[in-house]
Amino acid sequence: MQNAALARMGIDGVYVAFDVAPERLPEAVAGLQALGVRGVNCTIPHKVALLSLVDELSEEAAFIGAVNTLVFREGKRYGYNTDAPGFLAALRSEGVDPTGCRAVVLGAGGAARAVLVALARAGAELTVANRTLGRAQELAADLNRKLGAGLEVKAVPLCAEALGPELGKADLLVNTTSVGMSPRVEDVPPVPLDAVHAGLFVYDLIYNPLETRLLRETRLRGARGTHGAGMLAHQGAQALELWTGQSAPAELMERVILENLAERS
Ligand code: ATR
């Protein structure tokens, strides 16, 4: 998707993948910087290690506790996390305005942190539900402490009884857990379907399969919803924008993802 975007943007550049052993990450970063590359995306297991290898960290990357985009500029290393703004852009491209909306987020891992910080910044009212309640409580407390100013994220267990009342009044449901991801496509988070209503938008971060059982069942109840390919495309587009200072074609990037997924299945 990055190479398709570079071609469309008319940039004489290339995006390539390197497999880097964890113990060689500092050398790899120094080498890339010395070579004069514009920037890097990185993923598991390097996202956390990069926190201590940058000169400056964006507020989102610091809160999420992970760097997924590195920018080399004037001899310095800047660490960003484009998952949070990528999620917001994907949501907005579906016509969902998070400002003032009531959102329920399933899961309390790294992806949930990105989604929650994005929604909190946009002014949503938030509930986080997790199988391990303690993790949701810690995350809610961390958000309330760090983002402060009137924010009150609520933590509940990920079970039908606790979710019922939350979903009834929610505008947005976001699944950040891996429940329903291929190959266990028949798994579904314990969302009480009677509480699902036509005013609910369901954003499932999973993109393999494109239609999870959660999306299918909530659609049957009248909710709108979409898969995670949009967020994947938008976080990539935001990284490209950081490297180039130009706007990146997120729709084209999403189309490339969808074509690749179709070829594989
Ligand atoms: P990521 O960084 O991608 O968010 P993670 O940190 O491993 O990944 O988080 C995975 C999330 O999916 C967690 O919220 C996890 O719940 P726990 O904190 O209770 O482990 C959730 N999850 C994974 N499998 C699950 C399952 N079978 N049922 C409910 N939640 C599940």
Side-chain angles (χ1 to χ4, degrees), residues 106-112 130-132 135 158 176-179:
L106 310 183
N130 198 44
R131 176 177 61 181
T132 313
R135 234 180 143 193
L158 179 49
T176 76
T177 75
S178 49
V179 182

Side-chain angles (χ1 to χ4, degrees), residues 20-186:
V20 177
E23 66 276 13
R24 305 205 69 179
L25 184 67
E27 271 177 276
V29 171
L32 289 162
Q33 190 173 17
L35 287 170
V37 306
R38 204 55 90 78
V40 195
N41 275 140
C42 58
T43 187
I44 290 166
H46 301 314
K47 282 175 150 184
V48 178
L50 268 181
L51 288 170
S52 55
L53 292 175
V54 300
D55 298 304
E56 285 194 30
L57 207 54
S58 76
E59 218 184 322
E60 276 127 347
F63 178 78
I64 297 166
V67 168
N68 78 339
T69 303
L70 200 57
V71 179
F72 298 120
R73 201 187 303 132
E74 291 160 9
K76 277 188 151 188
R77 301 169 182 177
Y78 296 85
Y80 296 88
N81 191 306
T82 62
D83 285 335
F87 171 71
L88 272 194
L91 203 57
R92 290 202 167 108
S93 78
E94 294 291 329
V96 180
D97 178 8
T99 308
C101 90
R102 289 183 181 200
V104 177
V105 176
L106 310 183
R113 285 185 91 85
V115 164
L116 285 162
V117 73
L119 289 173
R121 284 253 180 91
E125 270 182 53
L126 298 169
T127 297
V128 54
N130 198 44
R131 176 177 61 181
T132 313
L133 177 60
R135 234 180 143 193
Q137 286 169 331
E138 270 172 37
L139 181 47
D142 201 24
L143 273 157
N144 292 337
R145 193 172 49 242
K146 291 196 182 138
L147 299 180
L151 188 69
E152 238 177 275
V153 181
K154 188 169 163 188
V156 299
L158 179 49
C159 63
E161 302 76 61
L163 283 176
E166 298 299 322
L167 278 184
K169 55 188 184 192
D171 309 294
L172 177 64
L173 171 67
V174 187
N175 177 40
T176 76
T177 75
S178 49
V179 182
M181 195 183 283
S182 177
R184 302 189 51 171
V185 297
E186 281 310 310

Side-chain angles (χ1 to χ4, degrees), residues 17 48 65 73 83 85 90 93 103 117 149 158 164 175 191 200 203 211 216 221 226 244:
V48 178
R73 201 187 303 132
D83 285 335
S93 78
V117 73
L158 179 49
N175 177 40
V191 169
L200 186 70
Y203 198 103
E211 186 175 67
R216 191 164 67 242
R221 291 276 167 159
T226 193
T244 65

